[in-house]
Amino acid sequence: MIETDFIEIGNNDGLDDNRDQDELSESSPSHQAVDESDSSEDEVSPRNTIGEVPLEWYKDEKHIGYDIAGKKITKKERRDKLDSFLASADDSKIWRKIYDEYNDEEVELTKEETKLIHRLLKGKAPHAEFDPYAPYVDWFKWDDAKHPLSNAPEPKRRFIPSKWESKKVVEYVRAIRKGLIKFDQPKEEPHFYLLWGDDSSSADRTKHLAYIPPPKPKLPGHEESYNPSLEYIPTQEEINSYQLMYEEDRPKFIPKRFTSFRSIPAYENAIKDSFERCLDLYLCPRARKKRINIDPESLKPKLPSRKDLRPYPVTCYLEYRGHEGAVLSISVEPSGQWIASGSKDGTVRIWEVETGRCLRVWDIGEAVQHVAWNPLSELPILAVSAGPDVLILNTGFGNEEEQKKVKELLHIGTPTSSDDSDDMSSFLSWVQDEKHDCIRLRHYRTVSSIEWHRKGDYLSTVMPAGESRAILIHQLSKKLTQKLPFKLHGLPVSSVFHPTRSIFFVATKKIVRVYDLLKQKLIKKLETHLREVSSIAVHPTGDNVIVGSKEGKLCWFDMDLSTKPYKTLKCHPKDITNVAFHRSYPLFASCSDDCTAYVFHGMVYADLNQNPLIVPLEILRGHTSSDGRGVLDCKFHPRQPWLFTAGADSSVKLYCH
């Protein structure tokens, strides 16, 4: 406001350069009056007496302070800009008026004050009588001096910038940018503070040892009265029972009844209790403990409702009976119309899913450990492991062209060995089985699991006791076999191909190793931290893996996140026998020897910043225990949210939504 008035003064026509001459020609009495006064503030005392109190404190009030008599100074009504402009147009002295915010009034400048302002704007001295070019007065005496103290010329360094100072400045600038030199941040003063409150909990006091008041003793109640009610006085039987208690459990004070104050004896433990109280106050340490009251329910993760995650298998819809022994393995045909099961009774059966009708039965003659259907629908063949042999069976499904192709694929002219260079003939042989009209792969150790490649031409077998040849990969079209070109550390449990890439997973008892078959190198090593791994399954996208163990724990691995488990679920009290993913629905399941199968919702998002969502959905029961075994295998239907389970009670169950 004041700065604007200064500019108006400088631009006003009434103040021109002729005023400088008038100032010099003005009479001196006015200047003498100014010189006699020590301060211009002594002439007019301020109307507002609030001192250094900020005016911001009065912005919401109707007054701006108090006068010398203690009365409120009310605020004047403010005019809008239009009224102010009209008033300035009519008032010829508006350029000499300024607004005093402290006293809430307009002040009109005098001629002397406008002259001072005008001189200041021009960069001159405030007073006109000041002579900036006064003659120099030499205060020193030069009576005997003929020469100066030093007659040397001025050095050059006094006229050029210092190179070393500039280097030092650059050094400081770099240190500030790197954060080596840190400036003290100004402390922000709190705008509000407790006027009457206790500031013992402030930040300044917490740095030091705060005084903690000692706990007060319990105040006496009705029992300590000299004449208590009869209900507080114990009977003789109760007093005798006190003697049988431990000393710390006995009541320290037994109430008694007296008719008057004169009959009250002295308290026998008065000195002892006072001494113990003094010891407590002196020796017992006291410290403040910050306690956080947290609702336990708030710590639970917020999971979506199970109703929003439908469909998923809930109830048993169909049961497939016909085996006489425990069903060790099941496999679903790619179209979902047929299901194959292998049992301990040495038979392999094919069932129709919707009706439960048994279509074909093969008597292998030995306990069937694993069955696996070819993933290609145009190749209706089934791989069966029984002891050291693996049989590639023709199921007989499909049209004539498919059957012709299958028969050509399963025909061997002469018994062929695999790779002669590796000398595999003594360990494995391809033989034509005339009994079942199939191919028999004879291994030198018991085969525990079979897994097909997604293209349907390659087949992997696992022999836990096979040492360096524990895992073999067979090519059905060329009738060739090759061992895994990696060193296996530990006994292998299971193996599985990646659903989309040339990656191979090998699960040992402790660790899951991930290999690249094209580059022939180890990619990752998943640390399970489990006692013993029992099964493994890969998500259809290939980036997530679930591993089941013989201690009832299930581990979920996010391969893009870490080599350690993302989640470890302790769901089964007994061994987990198998785990499985659904091909299209966000579902996965686990089965155990506790005769149950757990169904989970496992959503994997395309956004890498969002973690997978795991929600337990249902516990499926229905199988009975036999010889300490429960549910031995579980598989999902390829198209529907259905789950097949194989139990030790020689039955296969279908659970639907």
Side-chain angles (χ1 to χ4, degrees):
M1 182 73 183
I2 298 176
E3 184 178 353
T4 307
D5 293 336
F6 288 167
I7 296 172
E8 290 177 356
I9 292 169
N11 296 333
N12 197 285
D13 297 336
L15 292 177
D16 51 3
D17 296 336
N18 297 329
R19 289 194 176 185
D20 296 339
Q21 300 175 2
D22 297 340
E23 290 169 3
L24 297 175
S25 61
E26 281 185 352
S27 58
S28 59
S30 61
H31 300 292
Q32 293 176 0
V34 174
D35 295 338
E36 292 174 359
S37 176
D38 295 335
S39 175
S40 61
E41 295 181 358
D42 298 337
E43 298 177 0
V44 181
S45 59
R47 189 164 67 108
N48 199 348
T49 60
I50 58 174
E52 296 182 356
V53 175
L55 293 177
E56 295 180 358
W57 294 8
Y58 292 92
K59 64 180 180 179
D60 296 332
E61 303 294 335
K62 295 182 180 180
H63 61 285
I64 62 169
Y66 303 89
D67 57 7
I68 196 169
K71 296 181 180 181
K72 294 181 179 179
I73 302 176
T74 58
K75 295 180 180 178
K76 295 181 180 180
E77 293 184 359
R78 297 291 180 88
R79 295 181 297 183
D80 55 4
K81 293 186 177 181
L82 184 59
D83 293 341
S84 301
F85 176 73
L86 295 176
S88 62
D90 297 336
D91 192 359
S92 61
K93 297 182 179 181
I94 189 65
W95 62 273
R96 294 173 59 180
K97 293 181 180 180
I98 60 174
Y99 175 69
D100 186 5
E101 187 180 7
Y102 188 76
N103 294 311
D104 194 20
E105 61 181 1
E106 287 188 353
V107 180
E108 185 176 351
L109 299 177
T110 61
K111 291 183 178 182
E112 289 75 13
E113 291 171 344
T114 55
K115 291 176 182 178
L116 292 176
I117 295 171
H118 186 72
R119 292 184 62 85
L120 289 173
L121 288 174
K122 287 191 173 185
K124 298 180 180 180
H127 298 286
E129 64 273 9
F130 176 75
D131 186 11
Y133 306 107
Y136 176 71
V137 179
D138 196 353
W139 301 97
F140 298 96
K141 295 181 179 180
W142 308 91
D143 298 338
D144 301 329
K146 295 183 180 179
H147 300 285
L149 297 177
S150 176
N151 201 18
E154 292 288 339
K156 185 180 179 181
R157 64 175 178 272
R158 296 187 182 179
F159 302 97
I160 60 175
S162 175
K163 179 175 66 174
W164 306 108
E165 287 183 1
S166 61
K167 287 185 178 181
K168 201 67 178 176
V169 170
V170 171
E171 184 180 347
Y172 284 144
V173 170
R174 290 176 179 174
I176 292 172
R177 289 176 179 173
K178 291 181 180 179
L180 301 178
I181 298 177
K182 296 182 179 179
F183 301 99
D184 296 335
Q185 298 293 336
K187 294 183 179 180
E188 296 183 0
E189 297 183 358
H191 299 287
F192 307 100
Y193 59 91
L194 296 175
L195 187 61
W196 307 109
D198 183 15
D199 58 347
S200 59
S201 61
S202 62
D204 297 335
R205 296 260 181 133
T206 52
K207 299 178 182 178
H208 309 286
L209 293 175
Y211 171 73
I212 304 175
K216 296 181 180 180
K218 182 183 177 182
L219 297 176
H222 295 287
E223 297 179 354
E224 285 80 4
S225 174
Y226 77 95
N227 191 9
S229 302
L230 294 176
E231 59 187 24
Y232 293 102
I233 299 177
T235 60
Q236 189 62 35
E237 295 178 358
E238 293 176 348
I239 295 175
N240 296 335
S241 65
Y242 294 160
Q243 303 300 324
L244 301 176
M245 296 181 180
Y246 290 103
E247 186 176 356
E248 58 269 11
D249 296 335
R250 293 178 194 167
K252 296 183 180 180
F253 178 77
I254 298 176
K256 297 180 181 180
R257 191 171 189 181
F258 302 98
T259 56
S260 61
F261 278 110
R262 290 178 296 173
S263 57
I264 299 174
Y267 181 49
E268 54 185 4
N269 295 329
I271 299 176
K272 180 182 177 182
D273 290 352
S274 300
F275 180 69
E276 290 180 353
R277 172 68 176 170
C278 293
L279 289 180
D280 291 342
L281 297 178
Y282 178 67
L283 298 177
C284 291
R286 296 187 296 274
R288 294 186 184 273
K289 291 185 178 180
K290 294 183 179 180
R291 294 183 179 179
I292 304 175
N293 296 325
I294 300 176
D295 185 14
E297 296 295 330
S298 63
L299 299 178
K300 294 182 180 179
K302 294 182 180 180
L303 300 178
S305 175
R306 294 194 303 171
K307 296 180 180 180
D308 301 334
L309 304 178
R310 291 176 180 175
Y312 56 86
V314 176
T315 57
C316 181
Y317 173 72
L318 202 60
E319 188 173 353
Y320 308 89
R321 286 193 172 274
H323 288 287
E324 296 178 0
V327 182
L328 300 179
S329 177
I330 55 176
S331 180
V332 187
E333 193 250 343
S335 65
Q337 188 177 0
W338 319 102
I339 180 173
S341 61
S343 174
K344 204 172 183 178
D345 59 2
T347 61
V348 176
R349 293 174 180 265
I350 294 182
W351 315 79
E352 190 176 8
V353 171
E354 295 184 356
T355 61
R357 182 165 53 103
C358 182
L359 296 180
R360 293 201 62 175
V361 180
W362 289 275
D363 190 1
I364 307 300
E366 195 173 354
V368 178
Q369 298 293 331
H370 201 275
V371 294
W373 213 296
N374 192 289
L376 297 180
S377 58
E378 59 268 16
L379 287 178
I381 56 178
L382 186 69
V384 178
S385 69
D389 295 341
V390 174
L391 284 78
I392 313 296
L393 300 175
N394 182 8
T395 59
F397 299 121
N399 52 30
E400 295 181 0
E401 295 181 359
E402 292 177 352
Q403 280 297 314
K404 184 179 179 181
K405 184 179 179 181
V406 168
K407 289 180 181 180
E408 292 178 358
L409 188 64
L410 299 182
H411 177 71
I412 300 177
T414 56
T416 60
S417 63
S418 44
D419 243 340
D420 295 337
S421 60
D422 291 341
D423 195 15
M424 295 283 292
S425 59
S426 59
F427 299 100
L428 184 133
S429 60
W430 294 69
V431 180
Q432 187 76 40
D433 193 330
E434 301 295 339
K435 178 181 178 181
H436 301 292
D437 192 15
C438 66
I439 294 178
R440 183 185 293 268
L441 280 73
R442 290 182 176 174
H443 299 70
Y444 73 105
R445 290 287 188 271
T446 302
V447 178
S448 62
S449 68
I450 309 170
E451 191 69 29
W452 285 97
H453 189 262
R454 66 181 185 277
K455 293 183 179 179
D457 191 25
Y458 293 93
L459 179 72
S460 70
T461 57
V462 177
M463 297 179 290
E467 298 177 353
S468 63
R469 296 175 176 84
I471 297 179
L472 300 176
I473 298 178
H474 313 278
Q475 188 176 4
L476 191 59
S477 60
K478 296 182 179 180
K479 312 297 186 295
L480 294 177
T481 302
Q482 57 182 349
K483 67 176 183 178
L484 199 66
F486 308 106
K487 185 178 180 181
L488 300 177
H489 301 272
L491 295 177
V493 175
S494 179
S495 65
V496 61
F497 289 96
H498 194 278
T500 57
R501 299 165 59 188
S502 60
I503 292 177
F504 193 62
F505 296 85
V506 177
T508 60
K509 289 189 175 182
K510 298 289 184 182
I511 296 174
V512 177
R513 287 178 168 82
V514 186
Y515 299 99
D516 191 336
L517 296 179
L518 290 180
K519 299 180 180 179
Q520 295 190 0
K521 68 175 184 178
L522 178 67
I523 300 176
K524 286 185 180 180
K525 189 165 62 174
L526 307 179
E527 301 175 2
T528 61
H529 301 291
L530 300 174
R531 187 179 63 196
E532 185 176 348
V533 175
S534 62
S535 55
I536 181 175
V538 183
H539 193 269
T541 59
D543 295 332
N544 294 269
V545 180
I546 54 174
V547 177
S549 69
K550 289 191 176 182
E551 54 188 307
K553 292 182 179 180
L554 186 145
C555 295
W556 178 295
F557 287 91
D558 189 347
M559 296 180 60
D560 295 333
L561 183 66
S562 173
T563 57
K564 295 182 180 179
Y566 163 66
K567 290 286 185 183
T568 301
L569 308 176
K570 182 69 175 75
C571 46
H572 294 279
K574 291 187 178 181
D575 300 355
I576 292 179
T577 53
N578 196 20
V579 290
F581 271 111
H582 199 286
R583 292 185 184 177
S584 54
Y585 288 89
L587 298 173
F588 69 96
S590 64
C591 57
S592 172
D593 282 337
D594 59 358
C595 302
T596 62
Y598 282 60
V599 181
F600 299 87
H601 174 85
M603 174 60 76
V604 177
Y605 300 95
D607 186 8
L608 296 178
N609 294 326
Q610 193 168 2
N611 293 328
L613 176 64
I614 302 174
V615 182
L617 294 177
E618 194 70 31
I619 302 176
L620 304 178
R621 296 181 174 88
H623 289 276
T624 57
S625 178
S626 176
D627 297 333
R629 304 301 302 273
V631 183
L632 302 179
D633 196 5
C634 64
K635 292 289 190 300
F636 276 103
H637 192 278
R639 297 180 181 178
Q640 300 292 336
W642 300 345
L643 182 68
F644 298 92
T645 57
D649 54 356
S650 68
S651 67
V652 179
K653 294 182 183 295
L654 168 61
Y655 293 89
C656 298
H657 60 285

